[in-house]
Amino acid sequence: MGLYSIASKKAWLFAVAVSLLIVSHNSLAVLVLVFYVLYITILGQWRDYWLMFLLGIGMVTFFWFPALYERKYVLFDAVQVANPAAYFITGPRVALLGFSGIVAACIAIFIRKPPMREKTFFVYLFIFTLFVVLPTGAFLWRSNFLAHIFQYPFRFLSLNVVIGCWLVGYVLHYLRMFFRVPFIVLCIAFGAWSTVLALKTVQYINLPEGYYTTNEATTTIQNEYMPRWVSQLPTQRAYQKLIFYQGAG
Protein backbone atom coordinates (compact mmCIF):
# COMPACT_ATOMS: atom_id res chain seq x y z
CA MET A 1 0.00 0.00 0.00
CA GLY A 2 2.85 2.37 0.82
CA LEU A 3 4.57 1.83 -2.50
CA TYR A 4 1.27 2.15 -4.35
CA SER A 5 0.55 5.48 -2.65
CA ILE A 6 3.98 6.76 -3.70
CA ALA A 7 3.76 5.46 -7.28
CA SER A 8 0.20 6.76 -7.77
CA LYS A 9 0.96 10.03 -5.91
CA LYS A 10 -1.93 9.43 -3.51
CA ALA A 11 -0.32 10.99 -0.47
CA TRP A 12 -3.39 10.58 1.76
CA LEU A 13 -3.09 6.79 1.45
CA PHE A 14 0.49 6.89 2.73
CA ALA A 15 -0.65 7.81 6.26
CA VAL A 16 -2.89 4.73 6.36
CA ALA A 17 -0.09 2.53 5.01
CA VAL A 18 2.40 3.74 7.62
CA SER A 19 -0.02 3.29 10.52
CA LEU A 20 -1.01 -0.24 9.47
CA LEU A 21 2.65 -1.13 8.95
CA ILE A 22 3.64 -0.06 12.47
CA VAL A 23 0.92 -2.09 14.20
CA SER A 24 1.64 -5.17 12.08
CA HIS A 25 5.18 -6.02 13.25
CA ASN A 26 7.70 -4.08 15.32
CA SER A 27 10.95 -5.13 13.64
CA LEU A 28 9.65 -5.14 10.09
CA ALA A 29 8.04 -1.74 10.66
CA VAL A 30 11.46 -0.25 11.46
CA LEU A 31 12.97 -1.92 8.39
CA VAL A 32 10.25 -0.84 5.96
CA LEU A 33 10.02 2.70 7.37
CA VAL A 34 13.74 3.16 6.69
CA PHE A 35 13.09 1.89 3.17
CA TYR A 36 10.25 4.41 2.72
CA VAL A 37 12.44 7.26 3.96
CA LEU A 38 15.24 6.36 1.53
CA TYR A 39 12.87 5.84 -1.38
CA ILE A 40 11.01 9.13 -0.93
CA THR A 41 14.37 10.90 -0.53
CA ILE A 42 15.62 9.41 -3.79
CA LEU A 43 12.44 10.55 -5.55
CA GLY A 44 12.63 13.99 -3.93
CA GLN A 45 8.95 13.90 -2.91
CA TRP A 46 9.15 14.79 0.77
CA ARG A 47 7.16 17.97 0.17
CA ASP A 48 4.12 15.81 -0.61
CA TYR A 49 4.66 13.07 1.95
CA TRP A 50 6.28 14.43 5.11
CA LEU A 51 2.95 15.42 6.67
CA MET A 52 1.32 12.06 5.82
CA PHE A 53 4.40 10.26 7.15
CA LEU A 54 4.12 12.04 10.51
CA LEU A 55 0.34 11.60 10.54
CA GLY A 56 0.68 7.86 10.00
CA ILE A 57 3.13 7.59 12.89
CA GLY A 58 0.94 9.79 15.08
CA MET A 59 -2.18 7.71 14.41
CA VAL A 60 -0.64 4.74 16.19
CA THR A 61 1.06 6.55 19.07
CA PHE A 62 -1.05 4.39 21.38
CA PHE A 63 0.94 1.39 20.09
CA TRP A 64 4.57 2.47 19.75
CA PHE A 65 4.88 5.02 22.56
CA PRO A 66 4.11 2.59 25.43
CA ALA A 67 6.38 0.01 23.77
CA LEU A 68 9.32 2.43 23.79
CA TYR A 69 8.60 4.11 27.12
CA GLU A 70 7.91 0.93 29.09
CA ARG A 71 10.80 -1.03 27.56
CA LYS A 72 12.91 -0.08 30.59
CA TYR A 73 10.63 -2.20 32.77
CA VAL A 74 11.28 -5.48 30.92
CA LEU A 75 14.32 -7.56 30.03
CA PHE A 76 14.23 -6.75 26.32
CA ASP A 77 17.47 -4.72 26.21
CA ALA A 78 19.33 -7.20 28.41
CA VAL A 79 18.40 -10.34 26.46
CA GLN A 80 19.52 -11.42 23.00
CA VAL A 81 16.55 -13.25 21.58
CA ALA A 82 18.48 -15.36 19.08
CA ASN A 83 21.91 -16.00 17.63
CA PRO A 84 21.80 -14.36 14.17
CA ALA A 85 24.57 -16.65 12.89
CA ALA A 86 22.15 -19.59 13.13
CA TYR A 87 19.65 -17.95 10.79
CA PHE A 88 21.65 -17.03 7.71
CA ILE A 89 20.33 -18.27 4.39
CA THR A 90 22.38 -21.37 3.59
CA GLY A 91 21.85 -24.83 2.12
CA PRO A 92 18.34 -25.55 0.77
CA ARG A 93 17.14 -22.21 2.12
CA VAL A 94 18.96 -20.38 -0.70
CA ALA A 95 15.73 -20.87 -2.66
CA LEU A 96 14.32 -18.04 -0.55
CA LEU A 97 16.73 -15.52 -2.10
CA GLY A 98 14.55 -15.10 -5.17
CA PHE A 99 16.67 -16.06 -8.16
CA SER A 100 14.32 -14.28 -10.56
CA GLY A 101 15.16 -11.04 -8.77
CA ILE A 102 18.88 -11.83 -8.88
CA VAL A 103 18.77 -12.41 -12.63
CA ALA A 104 16.67 -9.26 -13.11
CA ALA A 105 19.13 -7.21 -11.05
CA CYS A 106 22.04 -8.42 -13.20
CA ILE A 107 20.19 -7.51 -16.41
CA ALA A 108 18.93 -4.19 -15.03
CA ILE A 109 22.52 -3.02 -14.46
CA PHE A 110 23.05 -2.90 -18.23
CA ILE A 111 19.75 -1.20 -19.08
CA ARG A 112 20.14 2.57 -19.42
CA LYS A 113 16.50 3.56 -19.36
CA PRO A 114 14.48 5.71 -16.95
CA PRO A 115 13.79 5.79 -14.09
CA MET A 116 17.55 5.56 -13.57
CA ARG A 117 17.67 6.82 -9.98
CA GLU A 118 15.02 4.37 -8.87
CA LYS A 119 16.65 1.52 -10.71
CA THR A 120 20.05 2.25 -9.19
CA PHE A 121 18.49 2.53 -5.74
CA PHE A 122 16.65 -0.79 -6.06
CA VAL A 123 19.66 -2.65 -7.49
CA TYR A 124 21.98 -1.49 -4.70
CA LEU A 125 19.39 -2.17 -2.02
CA PHE A 126 18.71 -5.62 -3.46
CA ILE A 127 22.43 -6.44 -3.34
CA PHE A 128 22.57 -5.15 0.24
CA THR A 129 19.69 -7.38 1.35
CA LEU A 130 21.43 -10.41 -0.16
CA PHE A 131 24.64 -9.45 1.60
CA VAL A 132 22.88 -9.14 4.96
CA VAL A 133 20.99 -12.45 4.83
CA LEU A 134 24.03 -14.47 3.72
CA PRO A 135 27.00 -15.40 5.96
CA THR A 136 28.93 -12.61 4.20
CA GLY A 137 27.12 -10.13 6.43
CA ALA A 138 28.08 -11.83 9.69
CA PHE A 139 30.19 -8.88 10.86
CA LEU A 140 27.17 -6.56 10.57
CA TRP A 141 25.19 -8.74 12.96
CA ARG A 142 27.74 -8.17 15.72
CA SER A 143 26.02 -4.80 16.11
CA ASN A 144 23.71 -4.69 19.13
CA PHE A 145 21.20 -2.68 17.09
CA LEU A 146 20.76 -5.33 14.41
CA ALA A 147 20.83 -8.24 16.84
CA HIS A 148 18.25 -6.74 19.21
CA ILE A 149 15.92 -4.95 16.80
CA PHE A 150 15.84 -7.29 13.80
CA GLN A 151 17.04 -10.48 15.56
CA TYR A 152 16.97 -12.72 12.45
CA PRO A 153 18.84 -12.05 9.18
CA PHE A 154 16.08 -13.57 7.06
CA ARG A 155 13.75 -10.71 7.99
CA PHE A 156 15.56 -8.62 5.38
CA LEU A 157 14.06 -10.93 2.77
CA SER A 158 10.85 -8.94 3.25
CA LEU A 159 12.51 -6.15 1.28
CA ASN A 160 14.15 -8.62 -1.08
CA VAL A 161 10.75 -9.86 -2.29
CA VAL A 162 9.37 -6.38 -3.03
CA ILE A 163 12.54 -5.10 -4.68
CA GLY A 164 12.92 -8.29 -6.73
CA CYS A 165 9.39 -7.86 -8.13
CA TRP A 166 10.14 -4.25 -9.08
CA LEU A 167 13.34 -5.27 -10.87
CA VAL A 168 11.58 -8.07 -12.76
CA GLY A 169 8.92 -5.60 -13.89
CA TYR A 170 11.57 -3.07 -14.92
CA VAL A 171 13.45 -5.63 -17.01
CA LEU A 172 10.27 -6.94 -18.65
CA HIS A 173 9.27 -3.40 -19.61
CA TYR A 174 12.49 -2.73 -21.52
CA LEU A 175 13.44 -6.16 -22.84
CA ARG A 176 12.94 -6.76 -26.52
CA MET A 177 10.05 -9.06 -27.35
CA PHE A 178 12.47 -11.74 -28.54
CA PHE A 179 14.03 -11.97 -25.07
CA ARG A 180 10.88 -11.25 -23.05
CA VAL A 181 9.28 -14.69 -23.37
CA PRO A 182 12.45 -16.63 -22.39
CA PHE A 183 12.85 -14.33 -19.40
CA ILE A 184 9.25 -14.99 -18.28
CA VAL A 185 9.78 -18.74 -18.67
CA LEU A 186 13.01 -18.46 -16.66
CA CYS A 187 11.22 -16.59 -13.86
CA ILE A 188 8.45 -19.19 -13.73
CA ALA A 189 11.01 -22.01 -13.64
CA PHE A 190 12.93 -20.35 -10.81
CA GLY A 191 9.69 -19.77 -8.91
CA ALA A 192 8.60 -23.41 -9.26
CA TRP A 193 12.05 -24.70 -8.30
CA SER A 194 12.23 -22.40 -5.28
CA THR A 195 8.78 -23.49 -4.11
CA VAL A 196 9.57 -27.20 -4.38
CA LEU A 197 12.92 -26.77 -2.67
CA ALA A 198 11.40 -24.72 0.17
CA LEU A 199 8.54 -27.17 0.72
CA LYS A 200 11.01 -30.02 1.14
CA THR A 201 12.36 -28.37 4.27
CA VAL A 202 8.93 -27.93 5.91
CA GLN A 203 8.49 -29.91 9.11
CA TYR A 204 4.96 -30.82 10.16
CA ILE A 205 4.22 -30.94 13.89
CA ASN A 206 0.96 -32.55 14.97
CA LEU A 207 0.43 -32.22 18.71
CA PRO A 208 -2.78 -32.94 20.65
CA GLU A 209 -4.95 -30.07 21.82
CA GLY A 210 -3.93 -30.68 25.42
CA TYR A 211 -0.38 -29.59 24.62
CA TYR A 212 -1.57 -26.06 23.89
CA THR A 213 -4.23 -25.78 26.60
CA THR A 214 -1.70 -26.70 29.29
CA ASN A 215 1.33 -24.95 27.78
CA GLU A 216 3.20 -23.23 30.63
CA ALA A 217 5.54 -21.28 28.36
CA THR A 218 5.06 -17.64 27.37
CA THR A 219 4.55 -16.32 23.86
CA THR A 220 8.10 -14.94 23.88
CA ILE A 221 11.32 -16.75 22.99
CA GLN A 222 13.70 -15.81 25.82
CA ASN A 223 11.28 -14.18 28.28
CA GLU A 224 12.38 -10.85 26.83
CA TYR A 225 9.17 -9.17 28.01
CA MET A 226 9.45 -10.45 31.56
CA PRO A 227 9.37 -7.58 34.10
CA ARG A 228 12.84 -6.77 35.47
CA TRP A 229 11.68 -7.14 39.08
CA VAL A 230 10.82 -10.84 38.71
CA SER A 231 13.51 -12.58 40.77
CA GLN A 232 12.30 -16.15 40.41
CA LEU A 233 10.47 -17.56 37.41
CA PRO A 234 7.40 -19.69 38.26
CA THR A 235 7.94 -23.43 37.77
CA GLN A 236 4.42 -24.66 38.50
CA ARG A 237 0.84 -23.55 38.39
CA ALA A 238 -0.81 -21.80 41.30
CA TYR A 239 -2.30 -24.38 43.66
CA GLN A 240 -5.34 -22.18 44.35
CA LYS A 241 -7.32 -19.71 42.29
CA LEU A 242 -6.74 -17.02 44.92
CA ILE A 243 -3.62 -16.90 47.10
CA PHE A 244 -3.14 -14.38 49.95
CA TYR A 245 0.49 -13.80 50.83
CA GLN A 246 -0.41 -11.34 53.57
CA GLY A 247 -3.61 -10.79 55.50
CA ALA A 248 -6.89 -12.39 54.48
CA GLY A 249 -9.82 -11.81 52.17
Side-chain angles (χ1 to χ4, degrees):
M1 184 187 294
L3 287 176
Y4 171 75
S5 68
I6 296 172
S8 61
K9 300 188 184 304
K10 295 179 179 179
W12 63 269
L13 190 59
F14 191 64
V16 180
V18 169
S19 61
L20 292 178
L21 170 67
I22 293 174
V23 297
S24 64
H25 194 283
N26 296 349
S27 302
L28 291 182
V30 174
L31 181 63
V32 178
L33 285 177
V34 171
F35 167 69
Y36 283 157
V37 169
L38 294 175
Y39 188 38
I40 296 174
T41 302
I42 291 294
L43 296 176
Q45 295 182 2
W46 274 114
R47 185 178 64 178
D48 301 324
Y49 286 93
W50 71 268
L51 183 59
M52 293 298 104
F53 184 75
L54 294 179
L55 179 60
I57 294 176
M59 288 166 63
V60 288
T61 304
F62 70 90
F63 177 80
W64 60 262
F65 181 77
L68 292 179
Y69 179 76
E70 298 179 2
R71 195 172 67 176
K72 60 187 177 183
Y73 299 127
V74 296
L75 299 175
F76 184 82
D77 291 331
V79 174
Q80 184 166 324
V81 173
N83 177 18
Y87 295 95
F88 287 121
I89 303 300
T90 57
R93 289 185 290 185
V94 297
L96 300 174
L97 295 178
F99 285 96
S100 299
I102 295 175
V103 173
C106 294
I107 297 174
I109 293 174
F110 299 99
I111 298 178
R112 303 295 178 184
K113 300 289 184 179
M116 286 295 293
R117 284 192 301 174
E118 289 180 66
K119 183 206 74 172
T120 304
F121 170 68
F122 280 121
V123 168
Y124 278 115
L125 194 56
F126 187 81
I127 294 173
F128 175 75
T129 58
L130 293 179
F131 184 79
V132 172
V133 302
L134 292 170
T136 52
F139 70 94
L140 293 175
W141 288 96
R142 297 191 187 102
S143 163
N144 288 331
F145 177 78
L146 283 181
H148 279 86
I149 301 301
F150 300 112
Q151 300 166 354
Y152 307 103
F154 59 72
R155 281 182 171 159
F156 279 78
L157 290 177
S158 301
L159 286 182
N160 180 281
V161 172
V162 175
I163 298 169
C165 290
W166 191 95
L167 291 171
V168 169
Y170 175 83
V171 170
L172 279 175
H173 183 72
Y174 288 110
L175 268 183
R176 295 179 181 178
M177 186 60 66
F178 179 78
F179 297 105
R180 192 173 296 176
V181 174
F183 180 71
I184 294 174
V185 172
L186 186 65
C187 289
I188 295 174
F190 275 137
W193 173 75
S194 300
T195 302
V196 172
L197 195 61
L199 288 176
K200 284 185 177 180
T201 63
V202 173
Q203 297 180 354
Y204 295 95
I205 301 175
N206 185 17
L207 297 172
E209 183 180 349
Y211 172 83
Y212 300 99
T213 57
T214 61
N215 185 10
E216 304 294 346
T218 69
T219 57
T220 60
I221 300 173
Q222 297 289 348
N223 281 329
E224 60 268 26
Y225 297 123
M226 183 66 69
R228 289 179 178 270
W229 51 81
V230 175
S231 58
Q232 184 176 356
L233 297 177
T235 58
Q236 63 183 16
R237 290 189 176 192
Y239 56 87
Q240 293 180 354
K241 291 185 178 180
L242 293 176
I243 299 176
F244 296 95
Y245 292 97
Q246 284 183 330

